[in-house]
Amino acid sequence: SGMPLIVAAPNHTTLPMLEKYVKQYDIQIAVHNHGTEDKWFPNPQSVLKMISSMDPRVGCCFDIGHAIRTGVDVVETAKECGPRLLDMHIKDLADTMKSSSQVPVGDGKIPIVALMKQLKKMNYQGGIMLEYEIDDENPVPGMHKSLAYLRGIRDALA
């Protein structure tokens, strides 16, 4: 009941303080990675290192667009996160090193199908949140295209 999950962007000092609330209120916290610009948590691996001895309700919010820019393999990263993978932010990039190269999901270089196969293999039960941060004047067509692509994968894997 209540709020099952909070996506957070803590630092190394505040994260241990948040663990106290995880225990006190029986709530999950998913630490969001923000890529090369994030000195604390650029990718899920940096989150996992920090949370390995924490309560299992402290986990990762895996932002695949930010993570891939750090050079990690997103499919292997999902596997590494295992049960600590609590939430996912999905986008696609035409150039896996440039956040400014965002395109509709399925039109870029991120291996979305392989990632979805890995999530199915893991029986991932968390959310997959579309982050569509382009086409400011008219984002809906690109959002529809992205969601249709993801639903197609879901249906093919069912």
Side-chain angles (χ1 to χ4, degrees):
S1 71
M3 187 184 303
L5 174 78
I6 294 175
V7 174
N11 61 40
H12 288 187
T13 305
T14 57
L15 181 55
M17 296 160 68
L18 293 178
E19 183 187 22
K20 178 179 84 171
Y21 297 114
V22 164
K23 293 174 180 176
Q24 184 177 347
Y25 296 105
D26 187 25
I27 190 167
Q28 292 180 311
I29 290 183
V31 179
H32 188 293
N33 63 279
H34 280 106
T36 53
E37 305 87 343
D38 185 343
K39 71 177 182 176
W40 302 106
F41 300 112
N43 54 40
Q45 287 81 350
S46 58
V47 176
L48 291 169
K49 188 187 296 185
M50 179 84 182
I51 67 173
S52 63
S53 62
M54 290 185 176
D55 188 285
R57 292 168 290 192
V58 179
C60 296
C61 171
F62 178 14
D63 185 309
I64 68 170
H66 287 315
I68 203 164
R69 293 187 299 105
T70 69
V72 300
D73 177 316
V74 294
V75 178
E76 285 302 310
T77 297
K79 191 188 295 185
E80 285 175 52
C81 288
R84 295 280 188 167
L85 181 57
L86 303 179
D87 193 53
M88 178 172 287
H89 290 179
I90 195 163
K91 57 181 68 116
D92 208 347
L93 302 174
D95 179 336
T96 58
M97 291 293 127
K98 291 187 181 156
S99 60
S100 61
S101 73
Q102 193 178 144
V103 292
V105 176
D107 287 355
K109 297 250 175 25
I110 297 179
I112 305 293
V113 173
L115 178 60
M116 294 301 132
K117 286 180 178 175
Q118 178 59 40
L119 293 176
K120 182 173 175 66
K121 189 175 178 182
M122 294 166 56
N123 194 30
Y124 175 68
Q125 297 295 307
I128 298 175
M129 312 306 163
L130 173 64
E131 283 196 335
Y132 194 78
E133 302 162 321
I134 53 174
D135 303 325
D136 293 352
E137 297 300 314
N138 190 18
V140 175
M143 293 169 68
H144 279 300
K145 183 176 185 180
S146 298
L147 292 170
Y149 181 78
L150 291 166
R151 287 183 184 119
I153 297 169
R154 177 201 61 202
D155 294 348
L157 294 177

